Amino acid sequence: MARRPLPRILSNGTTQIAKSRELARTAADSATDVLHPLITVTRGLRRLAAAGRRRWAATPKDRRGPLLFLAASVILIVALVPYGPLLAVIGLMAAAAWAGRERTPPPATGPDEAQTGRLQSLYEALVPYFSAAEDPAPLYAHDGDWEKVFSSYDFDDDGRISRLLIHYPAYFTDGEADSRARIEQLLHAKSGRGREYHFDWDEEGNELTVTVLPPLPTDIAAQRFVTAPGETVLGFTDPADVQRTLPLTHGEERRDVPPVVWRTGARSTEPHLLITGEPGTGTTTLLRSIALQTLRYGDVVVVDGGGTGEYACLTGREGVLAVECSTGGALASLEWAAHETERRLIAANRARQAGHPAPDDIRNPLWILLDRPSALGHLAAADGREDPQSLLQIPLRHGRAAGVTVVVAEHLENLDFIGDAVRQHTRARVVLGPASAAQLEEVLGAPPHTTPTRNVPPGRGYARLGTGPVLRLQVPATPDPYDNATSEAQRRAVLDLLPERTTPADAAEQAPSEAAGVAGVAVAEG
């Protein structure tokens, strides 16, 4: 039996079928767009009819007669009014169009069940602190409404509170540090540990704003900062706390970061700096960063009380007058610094009396960087010598007028061995590493407005310049380039900032003693 051939439409495959389907789909979409008003009105009429049937079914039987009479009266009145039927049809079509529109459900607003539970738990925890028995209409009460006091709130991706605005009663003692500290500690514990919170108290409006702070950048390496002479970048902080940014480079990336700038000189109100922190928190790194910045404009004397060799990269460099690790060398360098301060004061005084500008040899700033003076004090006491800190009294007292700046770094547990002169004249303070609120207040003179965390990266801490606010601080990475643990990128960044080597390392070790002797003779002759 002969096989009959397939029709042409089937023999050509699925190409024509696909084209036909696409054409039909396009025609259907076009018809839907053209007939969309009619579809909307029809859907509206169906919904109005369904609503009328539900209304008629819900009407008691004894009231259906009067309802029919009322409907018939309305229809009769509309029919007798000029243009009444036309207006009735227009009104019916408008009502049908409104009822038949596509209604999208509104987006979900407000907290979900878990977030509501967090807010309610936090509200209950604040009740004992923000309530009083004699209050006739308390804002805070057990099983109360948290929406009255939490007017604004935000949550992060993990469902934890990231921002919260709290209203509290006017009789709360928000002017007392202890009362505020209790509230801050409670909010820190209930909102989630391991994060740093900023507390902004508005005493006039009786409001407290709690904000979770983002971590400070830790990938900023040492580099040439865009600063003027007399300005030193201690580190970087939050954008809302300063009114200035610095352009920085990170590989091929360029960005602007808010800095903590310390200003020194004759008009500075905080001419000297005290750095403290636990071992390994970055105090030596900050001293090394300050040294690299100040060598652009002045001379540096480095005294390493710990004797760890962390400043060996500075030995023999241009502008580095001495890098001392021994007790004898440290005493000689600090004695020379005291005589140099006196010489500068005498030269400046003579120039002012004669009506001349200051001599050129005293215009160059002199920086004294002293790391771990307590260790030097113990060694000097064992050898029967004076405490090296006693030689800092003259540079600390008269350094601002003589162009001499003193920076002292000491471990937090050895602060009791810091002399009174250092404590009185170091108005700029930095605390690095984990520290309690009491320790921060003792060193900085004021508590921070954030909650310190226990796990922080190296170089992370707080800074306060004079009577200014307490700022969060992240020190730029400035490791020892001779350390094997230093990465190649950070090693190269530090080496590029070092001045040229002008004196061999062996000869540089004898320079401080000779300089001290020459300075002593010069002061005696003066």
Side-chain angles (χ1 to χ4, degrees), residues 65-244:
L67 182 61
L68 285 176
F69 178 76
L70 178 61
S73 302
V74 171
I75 294 174
L76 180 61
I77 294 173
V78 170
L80 296 177
V81 172
Y83 304 103
L86 179 62
L87 295 177
V89 172
I90 294 175
L92 180 61
M93 294 298 103
W98 177 259
R101 72 188 188 280
E102 295 181 356
R103 302 175 182 178
T104 57
T109 59
D112 55 21
E113 185 177 355
Q115 295 171 353
T116 302
R118 281 182 173 271
L119 294 174
Q120 184 65 35
S121 175
L122 187 59
Y123 173 83
E124 294 290 341
L126 291 172
V127 169
Y129 301 91
F130 285 153
S131 62
E134 58 273 11
D135 191 353
L139 281 175
Y140 291 82
H142 292 292
D143 296 330
D145 186 8
W146 58 266
E147 295 183 356
K148 297 189 300 182
V149 296
F150 300 155
S151 58
S152 177
Y153 45 83
D154 294 321
F155 292 86
D156 57 13
D157 296 337
D158 297 332
R160 297 190 299 177
I161 296 174
S162 60
R163 184 182 179 278
L164 183 63
L165 178 60
I166 304 174
H167 297 273
Y168 57 87
Y171 53 76
F172 176 71
T173 56
D174 52 5
E176 299 179 2
D178 294 339
S179 300
R180 295 164 63 150
R182 286 193 297 268
I183 298 299
E184 293 174 1
Q185 182 180 5
L186 173 66
L187 293 174
H188 180 206
K190 293 295 184 180
S191 300
R193 297 184 182 273
R195 300 185 298 175
E196 196 163 5
Y197 296 86
H198 180 268
F199 300 97
D200 184 12
W201 291 84
D202 182 9
E203 292 87 351
E204 295 182 356
N206 299 320
E207 293 180 348
L208 169 61
T209 303
V210 184
T211 308
V212 177
L213 296 175
L216 295 176
T218 58
D219 56 350
I220 300 176
Q223 53 190 282
R224 294 194 181 277
F225 303 117
V226 183
T227 56
E231 293 184 344
T232 304
V233 177
L234 300 180
F236 305 94
T237 185
D238 298 300
D241 293 336
V242 294
Q243 301 179 355
R244 175 180 177 181

Side-chain angles (χ1 to χ4, degrees), residues 216 218 281 433 455-461 474:
L216 295 176
T218 58
T281 56
N455 299 323
V456 294
R460 173 69 175 83
Q474 178 63 50

